[in-house]
Amino acid sequence: TTNDATSTRPLSGQCSGIRISSTGSLQARGFTMRYCGYRGYGGNQAAAIIIDGAPIEIRDALFDNNYPYGIYAVNSENISIENARFENHNSFAEWGSATAFTAFNSIVAFTNVDFTNNWLAIQSDTISTFTASIVNFLNNTVITSPEGLW
């Protein structure tokens, strides 16, 4: 619930999520990140998981209805995501788009990843590199930005 005594339906952005800096790393398996991102944050990096120069390995995960990003990665050379789903990222912020996965100046490997019912599935720059095996896009408003990444 939202714990506000007026509503029992949670909303995206009600928990601040996880931030991994360049001195850290993340290896995580079998989890769900839902309703994260934090609506009170004043910058464009509110997400379920923010990666800033850190290596991460995510397996068997669900990212659902986060605000405004599921994952936001910058300057990260080793991002590996396997057997994951990114769903229902449709909440816009005044400073960010409703995006399942965002990467800038990063190297990303996707294996068996589904993007479903998101406003924008993947946002990136032209510097980032993606390798992919079995990536599915279903009912997303926009698949990539800039267009043609995939």
Side-chain angles (χ1 to χ4, degrees):
T1 69
T2 60
N3 293 322
D4 64 4
T6 62
S7 175
T8 58
R9 185 169 188 261
L11 301 170
S12 60
Q14 289 190 310
C15 81
S16 58
I18 299 169
R19 182 180 190 107
I20 302 105
S21 68
S22 61
T23 58
S25 65
L26 173 70
Q27 291 182 327
R29 169 175 275 168
F31 66 94
T32 296
M33 296 295 286
R34 181 178 286 136
Y35 309 123
C36 296
Y38 192 59
R39 291 181 178 272
Y41 190 75
N44 66 350
Q45 295 182 352
I49 297 180
I50 300 166
I51 307 154
D52 189 356
I56 69 158
E57 183 180 305
I58 292 173
R59 305 281 181 267
D60 307 317
L62 169 63
F63 292 85
D64 181 31
N65 201 9
N66 298 294
Y67 177 84
Y69 306 103
I71 291 180
Y72 186 98
V74 294
N75 304 317
S76 299
E77 296 180 0
N78 189 7
I79 299 171
S80 176
I81 300 175
E82 185 176 333
N83 299 326
R85 298 184 347 242
F86 291 83
E87 301 175 352
N88 305 311
H89 293 91
N90 295 298
S91 296
F92 286 89
E94 58 276 7
W95 37 262
S97 60
T99 307
F101 185 90
T102 297
F104 297 115
N105 194 32
S106 297
I107 298 172
V108 181
F110 287 137
T111 304
N112 194 27
V113 177
D114 293 336
F115 292 90
T116 306
N117 297 325
N118 302 292
W119 184 82
L120 174 57
I122 299 172
Q123 177 183 30
S124 185
D125 53 18
T126 57
I127 299 169
S128 294
T129 303
F130 290 86
T131 57
S133 175
I134 311 173
V135 177
N136 299 301
F137 299 96
L138 181 64
N139 296 328
N140 299 287
T141 305
V142 180
I143 294 175
T144 64
S145 176
E147 188 175 302
L149 282 175
W150 229 256

